[in-house]
Each structure stands twice: as C-alpha cells, then as structure tokens.
C-alpha cells in the first residue's frame, strides 16, 4: 500500500519559515516526479512546486518563486519543501503528490498518489 505522509506544518508569523517533508512508503519513488500542492479554505487546490526524479528540474508557481525551495532525497524516499518569507496568503493545507511516471506536470490531475496534507497557518 502506497502512503505519502506530510509533516512539518504549523503556525508561524509572517516572514517566518518552515520545512515540509513528505515521506513515501509502500514503493520507491526514486524514478518518479513529485510535487506539492496547496488548498486554502474556499479555494481550489493549486500547484506550488514540482521536481523531477533526479532533482535536476524544479518548477514553482509564480506566487512562491524565490521563497520556496523543493528538494528530494531518493535514498530516504522523501521530498521536502522549504518555505521562507511566509505570507498570510500562504495559509493552506499543503499536500504532497507523486506520479507513476517520470514526466513532471503542474496539473494535479496528473498525480496518482496523495498525502493527507499538513496545515500551514501564517499570522500577520
């Protein structure tokens, strides 16, 4: 059974930082694209960042570019999202997702496995 488990969320003040982790189990994702999405209350789920299987290609939503950094450790089957300079509008549930394939997509419908999410709340 494939599981993606996010951790690292919390309550921070504006300008603060967090490091989100996504640990995969049940199969290895070392050859698969992975991504982070988020969903704020009353809004649709939106793309945040994605990374190729090697880590050599990384993609970011314009709203987080320069503030968020995605990385992965294939030996640990884990993907990370370092979130810096947080803003109140970053408040959302952050979801980790994995694809069965190697191609990176920014559309959530292309992802096959999802975690349960971790809450990030940024106070002003």
């Amino acid at each position: 059974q494939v599981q993606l488990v996010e951790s690292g969320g919390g309550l921070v003040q504006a300008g603060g930082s967090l490091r989100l982790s996504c640990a995969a189990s049940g199969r290895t994702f070392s050859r698969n694209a992975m991504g982070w999405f988020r969903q704020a209350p009353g809004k649709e789920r939106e793309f945040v960042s994605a990374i190729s299987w090697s880590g050599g290609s990384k993609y970011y939503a314009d709203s987080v570019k320069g503030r968020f950094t995605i990385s992965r450790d294939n030996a640990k089957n884990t993907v990370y999202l370092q979130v810096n300079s947080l803003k109140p509008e970053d408040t959302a549930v952050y979801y980790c997702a994995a694809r069965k394939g190697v191609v990176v997509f920014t559309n959530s419908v292309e992802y096959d496995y999802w975690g349960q999410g971790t809450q990030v709340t940024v106070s002003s």
Side-chain angles (χ1 to χ4, degrees), residues 21-71:
S21 299
C22 171
S25 62
R27 61 163 284 181
T28 179
F29 287 96
S30 61
R31 303 288 294 183
N32 304 91
M34 297 190 71
W36 286 94
F37 293 79
R38 67 186 182 186
Q39 187 167 18
K43 296 187 176 181
E44 293 187 353
R45 189 170 299 188
E46 65 175 359
F47 168 75
V48 175
S49 183
I51 188 168
S52 63
W53 69 270
S54 67
S57 296
K58 302 176 182 181
Y59 304 84
Y60 298 95
D62 288 343
S63 59
V64 307
K65 210 170 286 185
R67 300 187 297 122
F68 291 10
T69 302
I70 192 170
S71 62

Side-chain angles (χ1 to χ4, degrees), residues 15-26:
S17 299
L18 290 169
R19 190 193 195 199
L20 309 184
S21 299
C22 171
S25 62

Side-chain angles (χ1 to χ4, degrees), residues 27 29 31-33 98-103 110-113:
R27 61 163 284 181
F29 287 96
R31 303 288 294 183
N32 304 91
R99 298 198 67 242
K100 291 180 179 177
V102 300
V103 177
E110 300 290 347
Y111 286 77
D112 303 288
Y113 304 101

